[in-house]
Amino acid sequence: MIRAINQKDLETIALYEKSFNHNDRYTYTQLSQMFYNPNFVIACYEAHEKIIGYCIVTVTSETLDINKIYIAQQYRKNGYGKELLLYFRKKYSDKSIFVEVASNNLTAITFYKNLNFKPISERKNYYAQNVDAIIMKS
């Protein structure tokens, strides 16, 4: 089941974020600030009586930007990420959807291409030397 998160869910999401090895993880404080900011929407996927994934987006008058989509490792390849994305696509059907992906993240690029996202621009060496940011749009 996909639903908007509540304040209690912030702790669970913060624990997932804390487990990441990369620098783009959110702290509990940042998640809390997003939760109370009307420009951000956070939805979670609940299955097996727990949160197994979530998606954080920024909503503007014309666009929806995917900041993060995450599904716990043991639940991947089951369509949960796709369902989360389709939830937002349906909820904000009047908006263009954008996402930025590292050029070396082939799994994410394939995921978004399979959902009809098209690359529209690049930021050369954005993440590191020879690791570009690819901006995709749906």
Side-chain angles (χ1 to χ4, degrees), residues 4-82:
I5 67 161
N6 58 51
Q7 190 173 7
K8 289 187 325 186
D9 297 327
L10 291 173
E11 289 182 29
T12 301
I13 293 170
L15 285 173
Y16 277 126
E17 290 286 317
K18 205 174 203 179
S19 71
F20 299 155
N21 294 330
H22 44 80
N23 293 332
D24 66 342
R25 56 184 168 210
Y26 296 116
T27 65
Y28 179 88
T29 301
Q30 290 169 314
L31 290 165
S32 184
Q33 290 169 344
M34 286 186 265
F35 179 74
Y36 290 106
N37 183 330
N39 294 325
F40 288 91
V41 178
I42 307 173
C44 67
Y45 202 111
E46 196 171 48
H48 314 288
E49 299 180 21
K50 64 181 178 178
I51 293 174
I52 63 163
Y54 53 93
C55 186
I56 303 170
V57 301
T58 305
V59 181
T60 70
S61 60
E62 298 176 1
T63 66
L64 181 111
D65 293 300
I66 299 170
N67 298 322
K68 183 170 288 183
I69 187 165
Y70 174 78
I71 301 296
Q73 187 72 39
Q74 65 269 33
Y75 298 104
R76 292 181 188 171
K77 305 286 185 191
N78 290 302
Y80 298 123
K82 177 180 178 180

Side-chain angles (χ1 to χ4, degrees), residues 66 69 81-89 112 115 117:
I66 299 170
I69 187 165
K82 177 180 178 180
E83 286 184 50
L84 266 172
L85 193 95
L86 294 176
Y87 166 84
F88 280 105
R89 186 178 275 165
Y112 290 113
L115 291 166
F117 280 76

Side-chain angles (χ1 to χ4, degrees), residues 64 66 88-89 92 95-99 117 136-138:
L64 181 111
I66 299 170
F88 280 105
R89 186 178 275 165
Y92 297 99
K95 300 185 185 307
S96 295
I97 303 175
F98 293 89
V99 66
F117 280 76
M136 301 178 82
K137 178 183 177 186
S138 169

